[in-house]
Each structure stands twice: as structure tokens, then as C-alpha cells.
């Protein structure tokens, strides 16, 4: 089954195409966009080993001249040095204003390739071919691109929308199960903030606790609903003037947990899962959310094999302090996204610190 979702934007609308086996037709999809002949494919060693040859072959068959550039894996390489190396490859291969950079990989590759394409020659075309669940449902869509500064994640960046996002669910077969779970945290997020039906379908699924064996139809539904949720929100608020902040559900406390554990104990989706449990508890304490819905959320997070508790050695006061350093703090006030029912959230900066402390102290440790 194939689905196509449109991200409607004033400057440049684009399609998210979701279809099993579509990686083999990347060249055809790109040829339809009438892009220039030159393509720089950016990937990491593992993904390139699995899918690089296939991607290059389809692009060449469609008449593109393809060069490739490989970046070592992981967050430590998400920096300006790696961008400089992409620029070097763009120069060596004489990329022009009409040329395209293709990101074949997870969120790190997508964010970096996006940033390099936003800035090379003041902006060239960019296509996202996400290979992790998290990148498929979140990082590849929305136009936020960037790299880390030694003092913080994603501090350097630009908005630069892709011309196409091509999702081939078949590539998830080579994704480690921990990464699959982490991506599922963002999917559960869409269920809570936007799409009650998506949430209910995941709850109903018998395979959901065995993500590797999830049925193809359910995965297709999950991908389609999640991408539609992200597309809807980004189409309404491209540059995060308001609504788009709801996508940060679970991320306020999640980011603090991630950074205080040195980005080594949890991968992003795992920290977001803990953050969602905490946000749910805060909403309950404030009388915004019922206990039944909070339990449904926490059960689904557990069913996906994700953590729901804080690490025992994490100091609650350190988390409270870290919240103040969040990029999203405005006028010294921490902004929380809190659920009001499954499928709806509110943005508020009026959460008493004592409530946050009480929740963090009582939510349990692992
Ligand atoms: N690139 C991810 C986003 O724009 O949200």
C-alpha cells in the first residue's frame, strides 16, 4: 500500500511518499521534481553499506550524476566539522544551484544534510530518504535542520524544507530494535497530542509488544498517521510561532533527562517516553487530565518496551535546573505541553515548580 501526504507551505509544498520498496524508485520520484542533474548522496557507513548501491543505481538509471559522501555514525559527528566536509564534497563534485543533496539515513544524517543544503550556494535542493522510524515520522519532516554546538544540541541551524520525503518501510527490517522502540515513542506522542484513532489502533494491536513483528498494515497505518500529524502541524505553523510547539510533548523533561545523563544512558525516544509519563502526571496533578487516560498512555509506552521511570541516580533538583536551560524557555518561564485527553494537548507556561518537583519525586525510579 502506498500513501502520499502533502506538507502545504506558502513557499514550497512537498510530498511525503510512503511505499514499501520505494527506495528502488528514488530516481523516478526525483525525476518528476525536475531537479538538476547533479546529486550528492550523504549517508553513514552502515546505511550506505545496506542501501547505498541501490540508491545510487536508481538515481543513475533516472539520468542523475551521483557522488556520495559518508559521515561517521552518531551524534558526536553532528557538528560543523562534518558540515565542512559535506561542503568540500559539494565543491569537488561541482554542485550547482539546481543540484540536490539527498540524505540517506537517520535523523543525524537528515539534519546535517539539510543544513549543508540550506547553506551551500545559499540554498540548494534537498531530498530526505529516512531510514530510521524516528526520522521517518519526525526528523525528516518539517524543515528544521542543523548541528550541535559543544554547549548544546541543535543550537546552529536553519529552516530548509526538503523537496520530497521518500519513506520505504522495508528498510526498517535492518533497524536495531532499540531504535525501533525509540521511534515508537514519537508515534505514541502523535497519538496523545493529535490522533486518538492512531493511539487506539496501537493499543489494540497484539504485536505491539514485539515491534519487530508488527504487521505491515499496522506499520503502514502508523507511518501514514504520524506523517499526516506532523504535516498538519507544520503546515499550520512552519516556523513554530505557536501550535508547532505541541510537537515537543514529552521533550521538556525528556531533554533534561537526556542531557543530565550525558546523552549515553538513553537514546532520544527513550528520554521522550519518560518525559511523556512525567508530563502526563503533571497534567493530572493540575486537574487537566484524567487518571484513566494517563494510565492508557503509560501502558502503551510500557507495551512498546520504553522506559517510564527516572534513573535512580538522577537528582530531581538537577532536572528542575536543567529545565531552565531548555531552548524553549521564554522570559524565564518553562513551557510545558500537557494533555487534556487522548488526542489533544495544551501549551502552558503556568506549571508551578513545586508540582514538577512533586511529580518527579513520586513518579518512581528504575
Ligand atoms: N526536521 C525536523 C523538524 O523540522 O521538526
Amino acid at each position: 500500500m502506498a500513501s502520499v501526504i502533502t506538507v502545504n507551505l506558502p513557499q514550497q509544498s512537498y510530498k511525503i511518499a510512503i511505499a514499501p520498496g520505494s527506495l528502488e524508485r528514488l530516481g523516478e520520484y526525483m525525476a518528476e521534481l525536475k531537479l538538476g542533474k547533479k546529486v550528492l548522496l550523504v549517508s553513514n557507513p552502515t546505511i550506505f553499506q545496506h542501501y547505498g548501491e541501490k540508491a545510487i543505481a536508481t538515481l543513475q538509471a533516472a539520468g542523475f550524476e551521483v557522488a556520495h559522501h559518508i559521515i561517521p555514525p552518531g551524534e558526536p559527528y553532528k557538528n560543523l566539522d562534518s558540515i565542512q566536509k559535506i561542503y568540500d564534497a559539494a565543491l569537488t563534485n561541482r554542485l550547482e544551484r539546481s543540484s540536490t543533496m539527498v540524505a540517506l539515513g537517520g535523523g543525524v544524517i537528515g539534519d546535517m544534510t539539510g543544513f549543508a543544503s540550506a547553506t551551500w550556494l545559499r540554498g540548494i535542493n534537498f531530498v530526505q530518504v529516512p531510514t530510521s522510524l524516528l526520522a521517518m515520522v519526525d526528523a525528516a519532516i518539517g524543515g528544521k535542520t542543523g548541528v550541535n554546538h559543544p554547549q548544546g544540541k541543535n543550537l546552529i541551524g536553519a529552516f530548509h524544507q526538503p523537496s520530497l520525503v521518500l519513506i520505504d518501510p522495508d528498510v526498517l527490517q535492518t533497524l536495531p530494535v532499540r531504535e525501533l522502540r525509540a521511534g515508537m515513542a514519537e508515534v505514541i506522542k502523535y497519538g496523545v497530542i493529535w490522533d486518538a484513532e492512531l493511539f487506539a489502533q496501537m493499543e489494540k494491536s497484539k504485536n505491539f509488544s514485539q515491534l519487530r513483528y508488527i504487521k505491515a498494515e499496522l506499520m503502514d497505518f502508523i507511518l501514514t498517521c504520524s506523517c499526516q500529524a506532523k504535516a498538519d502541524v507544520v503546515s499550520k505553523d512552519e516556523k513554530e510561532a505557536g501550535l508547532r510547539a505541541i510537537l515537543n510533548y514529552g521533550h521538556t523533561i525528556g531533554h533534561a533527562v537526556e542531557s543530565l545523563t550525558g546523552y549515553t544512558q538513553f537514546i532520544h525516544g527513550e528520554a521522550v517516553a519518560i518525559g511523556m509519563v512525567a508530563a502526563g502526571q503533571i497534567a493530572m496533578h493540575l486537574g487537566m487530565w484524567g487518571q484513566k487516560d494517563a494510565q492508557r498512555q503509560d501502558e502503551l509506552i510500557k507495551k512498546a518496551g520504553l522506559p517510564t521511570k527516572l534513573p535512580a541516580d538522577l537528582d530531581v533538583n538537577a532536572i528542575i535546573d536543567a529545565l531552565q536551560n531548555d531552548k524553549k524557555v521564554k522570559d524565564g518561564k518553562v513551557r510545558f505541553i500537557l494533555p487534556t485527553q487522548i488526542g489533544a494537548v495544551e501549551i502552558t507556561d503556568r506549571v508551578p515548580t513545586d508540582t514538577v518537583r512533586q511529580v518527579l519525586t513520586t513518579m518512581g525510579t528504575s
Side-chain angles (χ1 to χ4, degrees), residues 186-216:
E186 299 285 354
V187 174
I188 294 171
K189 176 192 83 178
Y190 291 124
V192 176
I193 68 169
W194 198 256
D195 189 338
E197 176 59 21
L198 167 64
F199 191 95
Q201 290 302 328
M202 291 189 283
E203 259 181 335
K204 261 194 234 158
S205 161
K206 294 209 171 55
N207 300 105
F208 204 70
S209 52
Q210 295 277 316
L211 293 183
R212 176 63 72 220
Y213 305 105
I214 213 162
K215 292 217 166 68

Side-chain angles (χ1 to χ4, degrees), residues 43-52 104-106 129 131-132 174-175:
S43 194
N44 75 33
T46 313
I47 297 297
F48 191 75
Q49 194 189 5
H50 285 305
Y51 305 113
L104 176 69
V129 186
T131 58
S132 70
T174 53
L175 188 71

Side-chain angles (χ1 to χ4, degrees), residues 17 29 32 69 73 75 81 114 141 181 183 213 224 230 263 276 287-288 309 322 354 357 361:
Y29 280 95
E32 276 178 23
H69 177 71
E75 204 69 32
D81 276 356
I141 307 161
R181 288 192 195 118
Y213 305 105
T224 304
K230 179 100 190 224
Y263 297 100
M276 289 193 289
M288 296 169 66
K309 294 182 170 155
D354 280 349
R357 183 175 283 106
T361 312

Side-chain angles (χ1 to χ4, degrees), residues 111 128 138-145 159 230 234 244 247:
D111 282 6
Q128 288 271 24
D138 185 20
I141 307 161
K144 284 186 184 172
T145 70
F159 280 99
K230 179 100 190 224
V234 169
R244 193 172 164 154
L247 298 171

